[in-house]
Amino acid sequence: RGRGRGRGRGRGRDDEDRWVPCTKLGRLVQSGKIKSLEQIYLFSMPIKEHQIIDHFLGSSLKDEVMKIMPVQKQTSAGQRTRFKAFVAVGDENGHLGLGVKCAKEVATAIRGAIIAAKLSMVPVRRGYWGNKIGKVHTVPTKVHGKCGSVSVRLIPAPKGAGLVASMAPKKILKMAGIEDVYTCSRGTTKTMGNFIMATFEAVKNTYTFLTPELWKETRYAKAPYQEFTDFLGGPSTAAKELPPMY
């Protein structure tokens, strides 16, 4: 009872889990034409499928629920309570995402926030405080982020200084792969949602600052959509494998 008709027991489970891309970018990633996330960021291509992030960073990704808060809406019958989840996702090596989702149940909100965080994944630029010795460990310049009344400023710090920040931004910065940084914040930092959003904005701004090492002449290459136009123009393999729709 309840197993459906004509499917047989246990069949179809793998088919459900398998990713069938529905965007051009997804098709290029699944077929191996695009080799890394940096290739996507270089051409500022919007990522609409969270499986693309899983494909490149799957095993190294870590997620942390930053805050769960109830939000209410007044209706004629009383209040309707839903739960809002803030989730940070990162690989501790230069990639960070932050997602917010509201749902009737906590588990659904967290699941939606993880997907939203993967879709908002951004590259994090790191640099040095003094001499360029060893691995990058801090932010390359002073950067600033703002959300609501909360402003966050990240200031480069020497090796060994650690993350000089309060609990919420410290988790975000650790996920981004930053090891040493001084922080300065102002506004109502008690509002954690805005505090972590402002930190995320500041981290995101590391790549918007043009420093002398980025002054080199740009060598323009074809965008993936242009380079693999013949592949994208043909019938997709995913479409062939889909069952007919009556």
Side-chain angles (χ1 to χ4, degrees):
R1 275 178 63 200
R3 288 202 185 92
R5 286 174 55 226
R7 273 280 174 176
R9 291 178 67 179
R11 259 194 75 219
R13 185 78 205 134
D14 294 338
D15 294 348
E16 284 174 34
D17 295 339
R18 227 179 78 255
W19 171 38
V20 178
C22 42
T23 59
K24 286 180 181 179
L25 183 61
R27 283 172 58 193
L28 291 175
V29 167
Q30 196 185 46
S31 61
K33 305 280 186 195
I34 291 179
K35 301 285 188 293
S36 70
L37 263 181
E38 277 57 46
Q39 210 173 334
I40 297 172
Y41 293 138
L42 180 65
F43 294 98
S44 303
M45 298 190 318
I47 297 172
K48 299 286 175 79
E49 295 177 90
H50 67 95
Q51 291 93 338
I52 292 172
I53 302 294
D54 292 330
H55 181 87
F56 290 120
L57 307 174
S59 57
S60 58
L61 270 186
K62 293 176 184 172
D63 56 71
E64 179 146 358
V65 179
M66 302 301 294
K67 184 174 189 184
I68 293 170
M69 57 187 278
V71 289
Q72 289 183 325
K73 175 187 175 181
Q74 189 70 37
T75 63
S76 55
Q79 295 99 356
R80 191 189 71 181
T81 305
R82 294 200 297 170
F83 296 96
K84 191 177 183 182
F86 293 85
V87 175
V89 171
D91 66 345
E92 296 186 4
N93 191 23
H95 297 101
L96 179 70
L98 184 67
V100 184
K101 181 70 180 170
C102 201
K104 286 180 186 175
E105 292 176 17
V106 174
T108 317
I110 291 172
R111 215 175 308 125
I114 289 172
I115 290 172
K118 285 176 182 174
L119 293 179
S120 70
M121 187 78 73
V122 292
V124 180
R125 188 169 170 221
R126 293 167 295 167
Y128 299 91
W129 173 79
N131 287 341
K132 295 177 172 60
I133 301 168
K135 291 182 180 177
V136 284
H137 63 99
T138 185
V139 286
T141 55
K142 292 175 184 175
V143 282
H144 173 265
K146 191 170 189 293
C147 181
S149 73
V150 185
S151 296
V152 172
R153 193 175 189 220
L154 305 180
I155 301 159
K159 280 189 179 176
L163 299 171
V164 184
S166 61
M167 284 303 291
K170 193 180 268 190
K171 288 177 185 173
I172 298 271
L173 295 165
K174 190 171 183 288
M175 282 199 167
I178 295 168
E179 292 166 26
D180 310 289
V181 74
Y182 294 132
T183 63
C184 165
S185 62
R186 60 175 298 161
T188 315
T189 53
K190 188 171 74 171
T191 314
M192 196 195 271
N194 286 358
F195 198 10
I196 57 180
M197 285 282 216
T199 311
F200 180 65
E201 281 299 313
V203 168
K204 201 175 175 179
N205 288 338
T206 54
Y207 259 113
T208 62
F209 205 95
L210 195 66
T211 50
E213 56 263 34
L214 299 176
W215 290 356
K216 294 168 191 165
E217 190 182 340
T218 309
R219 297 227 172 144
Y220 293 104
K222 279 186 178 178
Y225 290 161
Q226 194 181 354
E227 192 180 342
F228 303 111
T229 186
D230 294 336
F231 170 80
L232 293 169
S236 74
T237 50
K240 285 180 195 168
E241 291 166 15
L242 285 172
M245 296 176 79
Y246 297 111

